[in-house]
């Protein structure tokens, strides 16, 4: 396999804000002892892997992320109307409950806390902790809703080319539903987004053991990652923008990770239809950090069928081939002449049948050495005309096509069942398993350093 070219390594190193330890090319990529690729996988990496043994992040216990199927259809959240699909699904929709559920409680009052934002109680955790819902609006009529549980973005409402609003991010109806289970819809993922092989790494000769909550590997921060905490929130509003600052402190030893990590994630919406996510973290002992947001998108509207007709451009000419458990095999590989190539726009569905299981891969972003906030992806949904462009300071993006969605997660009082490929994720990240790969950009954060990254989603319409 070829090494990562020097220019790419330099670009990635330059971007590791406040982090050190980005070493040069080489390495055998086996530090984390991933499962050995089959011969076929070596030849056609993107095509030959199967799903991880435990079906990934569709955990088994209802208390974790699988919906409790014994429950009656979800109740619409007070203040948040069920959002029926804007266009009918392409394929025969699964059987729905005949009537959407009616709200049984009085809606919680909305408190206006600024010219462009309001706040209301969203629900209560089993221990009584209140979870708030913040609604941000802008002068162009866009809305972003987020809750303090997991920092989950529950709605991004944007107009189509006829001005019709739809929520274009996959959501659940209530806190109760989010607590019953969901595959990381809209949440903050940490300490480490994506996988760490065999749930272990070594810092300064000391081995740290993490939960193996995804087959043999550690996924998205473990059993109780940052997506399952209520974050401390404070509103911010300025000229042309409004937002929420979310804070969380993860104690030393949390989920097996060393060091007390103080994390701040700030979401803001401005009048240019930009949703900005800013991540800051500091630690008191060396530890590994890789934060992201895990929103699933369907620019036709959540629940409006699959996303295979979306046209995608990824500003990446390399990706990481993975083994059967979705751990990188080693060095990045060129997308040229493979179904992984989105360097020029094409529909997500155009070659997805040649990628076993669907896309779930880390793409390494192109950027010039002095470019901090580089273009990562551009997506167009041809029917609605809605567009989304992503820029980021992070070195890579995980493109995931909702392969593990299977219709068991519902919304809109049961009127929506999220079937396979009903949403896609573009998670801006470091590479998977970096703690065990000295040749990848380093995710090590040391005391005195600051992890600082920005990702901006810009929404629009194409006429
Ligand atoms: C990430 C992973 C996927 C899957 C989803 C959650 O995007 O790469 O494999 O685990 O999270 O279901």
């Amino acid at each position: 396999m070829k090494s990562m070219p020097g220019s790419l390594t330099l670009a990635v190193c330059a971007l590791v804000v406040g982090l050190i330890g980005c070493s040069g090319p080489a390495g055998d990529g086996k530090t984390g002892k991933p499962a050995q690729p089959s011969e076929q996988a070596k030849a056609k990496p993107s095509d030959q892997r199967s799903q991880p043994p435990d079906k990934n992040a569709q955990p088994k216990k209802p208390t974790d992320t699988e919906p409790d199927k014994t429950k009656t259809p979800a109740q619409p959240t007070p203040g948040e109307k069920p959002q029926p699909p804007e266009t009918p699904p392409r394929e025969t929709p699964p059987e729905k409950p005949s009537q959407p559920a009616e709200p049984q409680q009085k809606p919680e009052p909305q408190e206006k806390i600024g010219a462009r934002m309001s706040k209301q109680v969203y629900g209560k955790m089993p221990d009584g902790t209140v979870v708030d819902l913040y609604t941000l609006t802008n002068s162009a009529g866009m809305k972003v809703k987020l809750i303090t549980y997991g920092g989950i973005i529950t709605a991004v409402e944007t107009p189509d080319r006829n001005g019709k609003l739809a929520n274009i991010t996959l959501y659940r109806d209530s806190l109760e539903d989010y607590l019953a289970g969901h595959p990381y819809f809209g949440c903050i993922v940490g300490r480490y987004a994506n996988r760490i092989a065999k749930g272990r790494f070594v810092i300064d000769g000391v081995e740290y053991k993490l939960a193996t909550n995804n087959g043999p590997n550690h996924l998205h921060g473990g059993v109780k990652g940052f997506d399952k905490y209520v974050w401390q929130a404070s509103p911010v509003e300025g000229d042309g923008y409004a937002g929420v600052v979310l804070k969380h402190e993860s104690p030393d030893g949390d989920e097996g990770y060393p060091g007390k990590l103080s994390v701040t994630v700030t979401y803001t919406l401005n009048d240019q239809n930009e949703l900005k996510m800013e991540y800051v973290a500091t630690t008191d002992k060396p530890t590994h950090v890789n934060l992201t947001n895990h929103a699933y998108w369907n620019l036709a509207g959540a629940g409006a069928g699959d996303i295979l007709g979306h046209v995608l451009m990824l500003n990446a000419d390399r990706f990481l081939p993975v083994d059967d458990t979705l751990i990188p095999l080693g060095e990045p590989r060129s997308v040229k002449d493979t179904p992984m190539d989105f360097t020029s726009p094409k529909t997500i569905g155009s070659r997805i049948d040649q990628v076993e299981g669907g896309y779930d891969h880390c793409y390494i972003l192109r950027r010039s050495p002095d470019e901090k906030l580089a273009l990562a992806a551009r997506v167009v949904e041809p029917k609605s005309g809605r567009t989304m462009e992503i820029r980021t300071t992070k070195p890579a993006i995980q493109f995931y096509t909702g392969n593990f969605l299977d219709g068991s997660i519902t919304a809109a009082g049961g009127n929506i069942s999220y079937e396979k490929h009903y949403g896609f994720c573009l998670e801006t990240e470091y590479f998977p398993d970096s703690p065990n790969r000295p040749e990848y950009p380093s995710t090590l954060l040391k005391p005195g350093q600051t992890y600082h990254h920005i990702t901006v989603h810009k929404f629009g319409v194409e006429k």
Side-chain angles (χ1 to χ4, degrees), residues 20 62 65 72 74 133 137 152 209 240 243 282 292 332 372 415 448 457:
I20 61 162
T65 68
T72 48
L133 167 77
T137 51
I152 295 173
K209 290 209 164 99
T282 54
T292 197
K372 287 211 166 108
N415 280 338
H457 291 65

Side-chain angles (χ1 to χ4, degrees), residues 56-58 183-184 194-195 214 219-220 294 296 326 360 398 400 404 425 427:
N56 201 335
Q58 314 278 358
Y184 301 94
N194 217 315
R195 292 170 178 81
N214 186 241
L219 176 71
H220 292 337
H294 205 293
Y296 287 65
L326 299 177
D360 197 353
Q398 180 83 5
Y400 168 60
F404 303 115
C425 302
E427 306 151 53

Side-chain angles (χ1 to χ4, degrees), residues 189-331:
V189 180
R191 289 189 192 191
Y192 199 96
N194 217 315
R195 292 170 178 81
I196 298 177
K198 310 272 192 277
R200 47 82 68 191
F201 56 75
V202 175
I203 300 176
D204 296 335
V206 179
E207 181 179 56
Y208 294 93
K209 290 209 164 99
L210 316 169
T212 46
N213 58 327
N214 186 241
N217 304 318
H218 177 82
L219 176 71
H220 292 337
V223 177
K224 189 169 180 187
F226 293 176
D227 57 298
K228 294 183 184 70
Y229 283 90
V230 179
W231 291 57
Q232 297 305 313
S234 40
V236 280
E237 202 172 310
D239 199 14
Y241 72 90
V244 181
V245 182
L246 296 166
K247 283 186 191 291
H248 175 63
E249 198 156 279
S250 165
D252 186 11
D254 188 14
E255 287 288 336
Y257 291 90
K260 181 175 87 179
L261 192 76
S262 305
V263 189
T264 303
V265 177
T266 305
Y267 292 130
T268 50
L269 174 67
N270 68 18
D271 287 339
Q272 286 70 52
N273 291 334
E274 288 173 336
L275 170 61
K276 179 172 159 191
M277 304 170 185
E278 184 162 9
Y279 306 83
V280 176
T282 54
T283 184
D284 66 357
K285 284 185 191 160
T287 191
H288 285 284
V289 186
N290 183 23
L291 304 172
T292 197
N293 176 280
H294 205 293
Y296 287 65
W297 304 101
N298 184 334
L299 302 188
D306 68 51
I307 45 73
L308 302 179
H310 286 56
V311 178
L312 171 69
M313 189 285 299
L314 286 176
N315 189 22
D317 47 21
R318 273 154 205 276
F319 74 106
L320 289 173
V322 287
D323 70 15
D324 284 353
T325 70
L326 299 177
I327 293 293
L329 297 177
E331 290 162 11

